[in-house]
């Protein structure tokens, strides 16, 4: 059992803290947000992540939550840094939160400790963190800095942490590697030990490769539409080749979320800074920018303007299984519809609460898919929640004023859409019954 502190209680920090407690460690989670800390002390998770609150409640005896970083860091064996590294205007990563924690660690620690950088940080940042800590240490102690990038995906964060595909540990001294092996003893995952810069690069290269895979399949989907091929069949056929693999070949309206968009831009920025152009990553970014607006562009086939149209929106978050809206396609699409005069009704099982903070009055939030699509002129699907995928297609025809369904996540089979008599336009596939629109 080790005494661990975790800085930041977001999707990464809180899940890490809870899973470390599940594995027997005593964990103090630190955040600057007092409201979050108060919730967590009551056993309530401030974020939606399947299984997280249950695991948190189960381990409350080993978990502590505080805003008092000095108290938490002073005698910790290991301090994890899991604060945000958001995008700056120029595309580079904002490291001020990470460096802020480094300074707080330097002023607080009273015994030797290992500082583990879990936040996604540009190559070379661990060196800078070490420099900051060592140059402003208040007490005479030894500090070892290790890179330990995180690979969890939102919506499956707990499972991804307890059964990770790999645990990457980037160290410059053997001691830090030994301590991290001890920390992760109970975890079901292979441990890969590298130097710090390689570990930092593994994280960016992994995320950017996945982003590139998505942008690639989206470009192929766009071409499929033009030449009459079907992207679902194409992806299926490609995926059987184990060198390609069948995951992350889902065409749609592009990737969102807190990481692919920022991590592609940050690595591209870093390469530029070193006078190198990462052409493939740039292509992934450009394709994704266009893909975001694909459904709105498609809708021009059916309407010249959204003025006075009843628009139903199914799904607000960037992916199912999360309440997170960061870089969700809805954040750009819904304002465009509203500016053009649409009446927007929206449904999302967990994301509506957060979306309401951004659009409290100009969007109507519905509890059910039926209420959302009732009397709608057009329905946009932005997130493939199970409730949407399992929704009876015939109800669109029954309830909507005009059953035009624009699906950005290819939730339905074309033959089912044809049977259900809806006008169905998805990504990289034939449009169903589009010619019937003029008769509506
Ligand atoms: N969200 C995800 O699925 C993944 C994120 N990452 C990376 O992990 C890092 C964290 O991401 P998220 O968990 O999404 O961030 P988040 O934005 O959800 O949470 C960050 C938390 O840090 C807190 N914070 C800021 N300054 C602090 C300080 N000085 N001391 C203590 N807490 C402080 C904030 O109040 C916030 O609660 C980022 O670098 C991200 O790129 C990596 C893998 C997955
Ligand atoms: O660094 C991170 O934050 C994390 O980023 C992603 O995780 P996440 O963003 O939570 O979710 P994903 O499942 O990867 O989806 C990201 C976006 O890509 C889109 N996507 C995904 C897969 C696909 O085939 N097609 C597609 O459009 C999703 O709709 C979503 O908008 C990675 O999958 C994680 O490994 C990584 O740790």
């Amino acid at each position: 059992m080790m005494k661990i502190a975790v800085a930041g209680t977001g999707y990464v920090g809180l899940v890490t803290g809870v899973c470390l407690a599940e594995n027997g460690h005593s964990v103090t989670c630190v955040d600057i947000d007092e409201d979050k800390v108060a919730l967590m002390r009551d056993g309530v998770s401030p974020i939606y992540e399947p299984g997280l609150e249950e695991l948190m409640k189960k381990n409350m005896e080993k978990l502590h939550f505080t805003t008092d970083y000095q108290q938490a860091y002073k005698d910790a064996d290991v301090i994890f840094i899991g604060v945000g590294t958001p995008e700056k205007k120029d595309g580079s990563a904002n490291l001020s939160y990470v460096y802020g924690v480094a300074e707080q660690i330097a002023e607080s620690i009273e015994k030797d400790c290992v500082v583990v950088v879990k936040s996604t940080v540009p190559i070379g940042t661990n060196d800078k963190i070490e420099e900051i800590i060592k140059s402003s240490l208040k007490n005479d102690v030894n500090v070892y800095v290790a890179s330990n990038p995180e690979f969890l995906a939102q919506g499956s964060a707990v499972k991804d942490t307890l059964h990770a595909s790999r645990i990457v540990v980037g160290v410059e001294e053997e001691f830090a590697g030994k301590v991290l092996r001890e920390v992760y003893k109970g975890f079901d995952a292979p441990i890969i030990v590298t130097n710090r810069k390689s570990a930092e690069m593994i994280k960016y290269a992994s995320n950017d490769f996945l982003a590139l895979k998505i942008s690639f399949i989206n470009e192929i989907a766009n071409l499929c539409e033009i030449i009459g091929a079907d992207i679902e069949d194409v992806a299926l056929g490609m995926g059987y080749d184990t060198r390609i693999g069948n995951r992350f070949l889902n065409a749609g309206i592009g990737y969102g979320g807190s990481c692919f968009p920022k991590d592609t831009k940050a690595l591209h920025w870093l390469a530029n800074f070193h006078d190198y152009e990462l052409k493939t990553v740039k292509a992934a970014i450009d394709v994704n920018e266009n893909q975001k607006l694909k459904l709105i562009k498609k809708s021009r086939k059916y309407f010249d303007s959204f003025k006075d149209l009843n628009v139903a929106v199914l799904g607000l978050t960037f992916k199912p299984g999360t309440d997170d809206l960061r870089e969700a396609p809805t954040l750009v699409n819904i304002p465009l519809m509203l500016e053009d005069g649409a009446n927007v009704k929206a449904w999302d099982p967990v994301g509506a609460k957060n979306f309401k903070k951004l659009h409290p009055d100009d969007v109507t939030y519905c509890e059910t898919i039926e209420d959302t699509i009732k009397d709608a002129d057009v329905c946009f699907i932005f997130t493939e929640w199970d409730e949407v995928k399992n929704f009876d297609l015939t109800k669109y025809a029954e309830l909507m004023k005009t059953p035009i369904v624009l699906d950005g996540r290819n939730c339905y089979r074309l033959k089912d859409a044809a049977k259900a008599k809806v006008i169905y336009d998805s990504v990289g596939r034939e449009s169903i019954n589009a010619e019937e629109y003029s008769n509506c």
Side-chain angles (χ1 to χ4, degrees):
M1 193 271 277
M2 283 184 170
K3 197 165 187 309
I4 296 178
V6 181
T9 61
Y11 293 86
V12 164
L14 182 57
V15 173
T16 301
V18 170
C19 291
L20 288 169
E22 169 72 5
N23 271 277
H25 301 294
S26 164
V27 183
T28 303
C29 299
V30 183
D31 208 289
I32 48 173
D33 186 329
E34 284 176 10
D35 295 341
K36 272 190 180 178
V37 170
L39 278 176
M40 293 183 291
R41 279 187 173 152
D42 287 341
V44 178
S45 167
I47 50 167
Y48 174 79
E49 195 55 60
L52 179 60
E53 198 166 280
E54 290 83 335
L55 206 61
M56 197 171 145
K57 286 202 160 91
K58 183 182 158 205
N59 288 289
M60 277 314 259
E61 276 184 15
K62 285 174 267 170
L63 280 166
H64 316 276
F65 300 98
T66 185
T67 52
D68 185 348
Y69 63 86
Q70 273 170 322
Q71 201 61 28
Y73 300 157
K74 68 174 189 186
D75 57 350
D77 300 309
V78 179
I79 304 171
F80 278 86
I81 303 181
V83 296
T85 48
E87 185 183 324
K88 286 207 281 199
K89 277 210 178 88
D90 62 3
S92 64
N94 176 353
L95 298 171
S96 59
Y97 302 101
V98 168
Y99 292 154
V101 175
E103 277 160 18
Q104 292 173 336
I105 291 174
E107 75 175 76
S108 309
I109 51 175
E110 294 176 4
K111 60 173 253 198
D112 293 0
C113 85
V114 177
V115 173
V116 183
V117 182
K118 216 167 220 325
S119 301
T120 302
V121 292
I123 296 85
T125 306
N126 273 258
D127 294 353
K128 182 87 197 262
I129 290 171
E130 183 174 84
E131 218 177 284
I132 293 175
I133 300 178
K134 288 192 171 163
S135 64
S136 30
L137 273 176
K138 216 166 108 190
N139 297 303
D140 182 20
V141 293
N142 293 310
V143 183
Y144 307 87
V145 174
S147 164
N148 173 219
E150 178 54 61
F151 300 97
L152 66 80
Q154 287 176 224
S156 53
V158 171
K159 187 175 119 270
D160 291 350
T161 304
L162 293 175
H163 312 281
S165 53
R166 75 289 206 194
I167 292 169
V168 172
V169 171
V171 287
E172 299 300 322
E173 304 96 352
E174 216 173 281
F175 176 73
K178 214 172 120 217
V179 170
L180 274 164
R181 279 189 193 279
E182 189 62 29
V183 167
Y184 285 118
K185 217 172 173 182
F187 286 66
D188 165 32
I191 296 182
I192 295 145
V193 182
T194 69
N195 68 23
R196 284 199 304 229
K197 284 189 174 161
S198 304
E200 292 169 323
M201 183 57 109
I202 288 170
K203 176 61 194 173
Y204 278 98
S206 301
N207 268 8
D208 290 14
F209 186 77
L210 291 171
L212 184 55
K213 197 171 178 187
I214 298 168
S215 278
F216 179 80
I217 203 69
N218 281 335
E219 277 220 289
I220 297 295
N222 295 342
L223 185 59
C224 280
E225 274 178 29
I226 297 167
I227 61 180
D230 185 306
I231 192 62
E232 295 299 318
D233 290 341
V234 172
L236 183 72
M238 287 169 68
Y240 272 97
D241 185 331
T242 51
R243 291 171 303 176
I244 297 172
N246 58 12
R247 299 189 62 199
F248 277 68
L249 286 179
N250 298 321
I253 40 164
Y255 56 79
S258 64
C259 291
F260 289 168
K262 82 171 168 63
D263 293 347
T264 42
K265 288 182 210 151
L267 194 64
H268 185 258
W269 185 94
L270 186 75
N272 264 350
F273 183 75
H274 292 284
D275 292 325
Y276 187 77
E277 169 80 5
L278 272 178
K279 292 189 182 131
T280 48
V281 174
K282 177 77 169 65
I285 297 167
D286 291 345
V287 169
N288 201 57
E289 281 305 307
N290 280 326
Q291 206 70 12
K292 250 189 234 170
L293 296 173
K294 189 166 174 78
L295 288 191
I296 292 243
K297 286 183 198 145
K298 261 182 193 286
S299 73
R300 300 293 176 216
K301 271 204 285 201
Y302 306 99
F303 308 104
D304 294 330
S305 134
F306 283 103
K307 184 147 178 47
D308 298 330
L309 286 190
N310 294 334
V311 176
V313 170
L314 301 182
L316 294 165
T317 54
F318 79 94
K319 67 180 279 193
T322 183
D323 57 349
D324 197 352
L325 295 171
R326 288 179 284 186
E327 299 280 338
T330 45
L331 295 180
V332 284
N333 281 283
I334 292 183
L336 287 175
M337 296 169 184
L338 291 169
E339 274 162 31
D340 204 21
N343 309 311
V344 177
K345 274 192 191 176
W347 171 89
D348 190 292
V350 296
K353 204 170 126 205
N354 284 339
F355 206 85
K356 210 172 186 171
K357 291 179 197 155
L358 305 170
H359 290 276
D361 306 318
D362 46 4
V363 171
T364 306
Y365 299 89
C366 299
E367 292 293 322
T368 64
I369 297 181
E370 280 88 344
D371 283 349
T372 322
I373 64 172
K374 193 165 182 308
D375 297 327
D377 294 288
V378 58
C379 173
F380 284 80
I381 299 174
F382 287 115
T383 322
E384 68 279 29
W385 286 100
D386 280 345
E387 292 90 328
V388 177
K389 289 198 284 186
N390 298 330
F391 189 69
D392 177 1
L393 260 165
T394 58
K395 292 225 179 121
Y396 289 104
E398 229 172 79
L399 294 169
M400 289 174 70
K401 208 191 299 172
T402 325
I404 300 176
V405 180
L406 300 177
D407 182 358
R409 298 294 180 190
N410 290 3
C411 290
Y412 306 113
R413 292 190 305 186
L414 295 186
K415 64 177 184 197
D416 295 335
K419 257 195 270 162
K421 299 211 171 352
V422 291
I423 297 153
Y424 181 66
D425 223 333
S426 52
V427 179
R429 302 189 290 177
E430 178 193 350
S431 315
I432 299 294
N433 297 329
E435 66 287 351
E436 284 179 19
Y437 179 64
S438 52
N439 303 328
C440 291

